[in-house]
Amino acid sequence: MPERHVTVASKVGLHARPAAMLAKEAAAQSVKITIRKQETDPVEAASILGLMTLGAAYGDEVVLAADGDGADDALDRIADMVSSELDGSN
C-alpha cells in the first residue's frame, strides 16, 4: 500500500477550513485515503470530523495511505495540499 509522509504546513493545523478543503479533495479521489499521526489509528481523509479529531497541528508529520488504481496520484495530490498553507486568512 503506497504511503506518503508529509509535514502539516497550515499554521492552524488540520482544523476548520484546512480540514474542510482537504476532506473535499480526498472525497473527490477515486480511492479511499487514510491519514494518521505516528501514534494514532488512521482516519478517513474525506471525513472533516476525522481530520479534526486527529489533532494534526502545524509541523506535525502525518502518514497518508491509499490502495488501488490511482493511489499514487491521489496521494500526491493530497500530500501537496497537506504540505501547503491552506488557511488563507493570514
Side-chain angles (χ1 to χ4, degrees), residues 18-35 43-48 51 64 66 74-75 77-78 81:
M21 294 171 66
L22 189 62
K24 181 178 179 181
E25 186 62 31
Q29 302 305 308
S30 62
V31 294
K32 177 180 154 187
I33 300 171
T34 62
I35 184 170
V43 298
E44 286 194 41
S47 166
I48 296 171
L51 290 171
L64 302 167
L75 287 173
R77 175 73 182 134
I78 300 304
M81 290 186 75

Side-chain angles (χ1 to χ4, degrees), residues 58-77:
Y58 173 76
D60 285 350
E61 182 180 76
V62 294
V63 180
L64 302 167
D67 200 17
D69 253 2
D72 283 313
D73 289 337
L75 287 173
D76 289 343
R77 175 73 182 134

Side-chain angles (χ1 to χ4, degrees), residues 1 7 16-17 20 22 25 29 40 42 52 54-56 63 70 84 86 88:
M1 176 180 295
T7 301
R17 182 175 180 194
L22 189 62
E25 186 62 31
Q29 302 305 308
T40 65
M52 292 180 72
L54 185 63
V63 180
S84 300
L86 297 177

